[in-house]
Each structure stands twice: as structure tokens, then as C-alpha cells.
Amino acid sequence: MSSLLRIYLIRGLIAIAWSVGFAAAHDSLTATSVILLIAYPVIDVVASLFDVREDPGTPARRLQVFNTALSALTAAGLGLAAISGVGAVLFVFGLWAVVSGAAQLTVAIRRRGPELGRQWPMLVAGALSVIAGLTYLPAAVGDDPDLTALIMYTAAGGAFFVIQAATLAWKRRRRTRVAQA
């Protein structure tokens, strides 16, 4: 299994599992929900670090380094925002979704070669992240901010990572069959 395939698959499955855990704890800002909120960008930090290690010297690498730093700052920001309430948490998460989604979209564009499966799932995920983040910002300052949307956001993001992993696996298997023929 290629490293990028493994990174995408594990990152996706963890995001899906996170969304299930957060669904059970998101009703209020308890210690559990805040820990989960901080953990989500930390998961992205770890995945991005593995990605950076496997992607030396390519144009996408610089964006992955940026995303690693952004996600680390977001983890701290979410912890601090939790002191101010749900609206502040949603606002920080929304900002992160916009900027990291734009970075993900750009990385996917730079990785669009056929050997990496054209990156359609990552392109869609990046674009949807930007759109979702933009919807969180006004919701955060609205009358009744709610963290429920984060469950679908993270589950969908995880699904797109799993789909990209499946695409890479299919491409790899196809190349192997062609080489053996």
C-alpha cells in the first residue's frame, strides 16, 4: 500500500470515527466535547506531517507545511474559543475550514496527475470545506449557534479521504495489471 494511500485511508477513517464520537458529545461544551474539538485539527496536523514527509520537493509540500501550522494554531484557537462559547468555537472552526479547504483544493490541483487518481475527491472536499466554513461564520454570530453541522462536515470529509484512498488503490491495481500483461 502506498504511503499516500495509507495516509488518506487512515485520515478518513479517523475523521469518520471522530464524527461519531462528537455526535454523542456535541450538545454542550463539556470537557469531552472540547477535547474532541481540539483533537480534530491535531489529527490534521499528524496526517499533514506524514504527507509532508512523503512528498519531498514538490509544490504541494509547501502548502502541506502551511496546513500543518494552520491546524496546530486552530487546535489552540478552539481551546481558547471554548471559553467564550459555542459561537466562538463555530467561528474558529469556520475560519479554519475556509483556509484549510482552500489549501486542500490547491494541493489537489497540484497533484492532479493520473498516477494520483486525478484527485477528484480531494478537489470536491476542499471546495466543500470552503463553502461549509463560509456558512459557519454567519451562523457563529447568529442567535443560536450550534455545532451539529460539524458532525456532517467531518464525516463527509472523512468519506472523501476514504474515496481518494480507494481511487489510489484502484489506480495502483490497474497499473500492476497493465505491467503484468
Side-chain angles (χ1 to χ4, degrees):
M1 184 184 306
S2 77
S3 296
L4 194 56
L5 186 155
R6 189 175 305 119
I7 291 167
Y8 284 159
L9 180 61
I10 293 170
R11 169 71 172 83
L13 293 174
I14 289 173
I16 293 167
W18 183 95
S19 69
V20 170
F22 193 68
H26 80 284
D27 290 332
S28 62
L29 289 177
T30 63
T32 301
S33 64
V34 172
I35 288 168
L36 284 169
L37 284 165
I38 293 168
Y40 193 76
V42 170
I43 293 165
D44 199 52
V45 167
V46 173
S48 293
L49 286 173
F50 280 115
D51 197 334
V52 164
R53 190 182 75 188
E54 296 301 321
D55 195 13
T58 68
R61 186 175 197 269
R62 192 178 327 243
L63 279 168
Q64 290 295 72
V65 170
F66 167 78
N67 195 53
T68 302
L70 174 67
S71 295
L73 288 171
T74 299
L78 286 170
L80 292 172
I83 297 167
S84 297
V86 171
V89 168
L90 190 57
F91 193 84
V92 170
F93 203 100
L95 286 175
W96 178 53
V98 169
V99 178
S100 68
Q104 181 180 11
L105 185 60
T106 306
V107 168
I109 288 169
R110 292 182 177 178
R111 288 182 172 168
R112 283 204 29 88
E115 67 280 354
L116 293 178
R118 298 283 185 209
Q119 297 286 301
W120 282 110
M122 296 294 87
L123 288 166
V124 172
L128 290 177
S129 181
V130 171
I131 293 166
L134 288 172
T135 67
Y136 298 161
L137 299 177
V141 297
D143 291 335
D144 193 22
D146 185 13
L147 299 177
T148 304
L150 303 185
I151 298 164
M152 182 56 81
Y153 172 87
T154 56
F160 281 114
F161 274 101
V162 170
I163 292 166
Q164 183 63 46
T167 301
L168 293 176
W170 177 77
K171 285 288 196 182
R172 183 174 177 203
R173 216 177 348 239
R174 190 168 174 216
R175 277 193 308 270
T176 301
R177 286 184 190 154
V178 167
Q180 291 174 348

